[in-house]
Amino acid sequence: MNTRLPLRVLIAAPRGFCAGVDRAIQIVELAIERFGAPVYVRHEIVHNRFVVDRLRELGAIFVDELDEVPDDRPVVFSAHGVPKSVPANAQDRGLAYVDATCPLVSKVHRQAERLIEEGRHILFIGHAGHPEVVGTFGQVPAGSMTLIESEADARVFEVTQPDNLAFLTQTTLSVDDTAAIVGVLKSRFPDIRVPRSEDICYATSNRQAAVKAIAGECDRMLVIGAPNSSNSLRLAEVSERLGVPSRLIERATDIDWDWLGKPRTVGITAGASAPELLVREVVDALAARFDVREEIVDHNPERMVFKLPRELVA
Ligand code: SF4
């Protein structure tokens, strides 16, 4: 007799790997194939321990800074992007390097450069210390960009040339929080230059929309992703704000069964750097305790693919 309680599991879609993460991982794999091991990688290629450990087993060595890379080994720069000084230093040292910066982050870098050429001061909406923010600030001269982290920041910061402003954003922010911050900026500075297209990337906004689509039916939400993954943290926030108790977990062993309790419906999603394998692991862990009925709720199918760098596919 089956004594397990029934559990409906709603799996959000899209979830997990985005085109930028997929490309960055392929770049490290191809670099190891092309140059042989070890290949150095500056910073975690993407924010996921499982991905990083697998690449380490294949022959990647992760370092914090370029000076840890020997002169005769190639180095890959992470998907989050790097300040201009990093490839410049690599070039000075004659290092072979491959840049795995997501093309959507590079697009923001180019926008920042153009705005500086136009003589504007940039307000950058993002989270202090995140590697993408460090990389974007490193595209422009010191002092030409101000970080805005919250609506409160947007309300109080002072500028000397209020009619010469533009704003850009980190790619992995909360769509709702960013809209609120932008609202404050526009009301304080009606002439502020607005980016031509949305900087929050398609993967971030699609994953947030997919969570919103299932949250109303869920008693609990499990978000699979690393604690330092910005887009994963935002997914847990989005769901929590909709009134669904939500937890960010790295993998199945992190499930707090007491917290989970005896729900009728559990939602599952995964940040853009979390592999699908970990989603399956979580579903299997639920299925070991409950009589699971699984449904995939496809909100907005994705077909985005980014080209690999020419030096690795030629
Ligand atoms: S989350 Fe967005 S910006 Fe970041 S790697 Fe993926 S597609 Fe690129």
Side-chain angles (χ1 to χ4, degrees), residues 6 39 88 108 293:
V39 163
V108 177
R293 180 161 59 89

Side-chain angles (χ1 to χ4, degrees), residues 111-131:
Q111 281 178 295
E113 280 177 329
R114 273 200 298 271
L115 290 167
I116 295 303
E117 278 163 22
E118 290 172 16
R120 294 197 179 253
H121 184 86
I122 302 172
L123 305 177
F124 191 76
I125 305 171
H127 298 294
H130 189 279

Side-chain angles (χ1 to χ4, degrees), residues 217-235:
E217 297 183 61
C218 299
D219 305 312
R220 293 281 186 275
M221 184 75 70
L222 294 170
V223 178
I224 302 161
N228 56 348
S229 158
S230 171
N231 79 88
S232 307
L233 285 161
R234 304 293 82 79
L235 291 175

Side-chain angles (χ1 to χ4, degrees), residues 80 104-105 107-112 115 121-140 144-150 153-154 157 165-173 178 181-182 185 192 195 199-200:
H80 310 102
L104 299 182
V105 175
K107 190 186 88 180
V108 177
H109 290 180
R110 287 194 301 272
Q111 281 178 295
L115 290 167
H121 184 86
I122 302 172
L123 305 177
F124 191 76
I125 305 171
H127 298 294
H130 189 279
E132 184 185 328
V133 175
V134 174
T136 305
F137 269 72
Q139 306 303 309
V140 298
S144 58
M145 209 187 256
T146 302
L147 184 65
I148 303 289
E149 290 197 84
S150 62
D153 281 0
F157 83 96
L165 295 174
F167 77 83
L168 295 173
T169 82
Q170 192 177 330
T171 57
T172 51
L173 299 180
T178 307
I181 294 172
V182 168
L185 293 178
I192 192 166
D199 293 331
I200 296 178

Side-chain angles (χ1 to χ4, degrees), residues 29-66:
E29 291 169 352
L30 287 170
I32 293 169
E33 250 175 68
R34 169 71 53 105
F35 301 109
V39 163
Y40 284 72
V41 182
R42 184 184 175 277
H43 290 180
E44 284 189 328
I45 186 75
V46 300
H47 282 153
N48 188 277
R49 199 193 314 171
F50 185 87
V51 170
V52 166
D53 286 348
R54 193 183 71 81
L55 292 173
R56 198 177 276 127
E57 275 166 28
L58 291 178
I61 295 180
F62 292 87
V63 294
D64 289 331
E65 290 308 333
L66 217 53

Side-chain angles (χ1 to χ4, degrees), residues 194-212:
V194 175
R196 238 175 284 161
S197 60
E198 180 62 78
D199 293 331
I200 296 178
C201 77
Y202 80 98
T204 298
S205 42
N206 283 351
R207 279 153 191 67
Q208 288 174 22
V211 163
K212 288 179 182 173

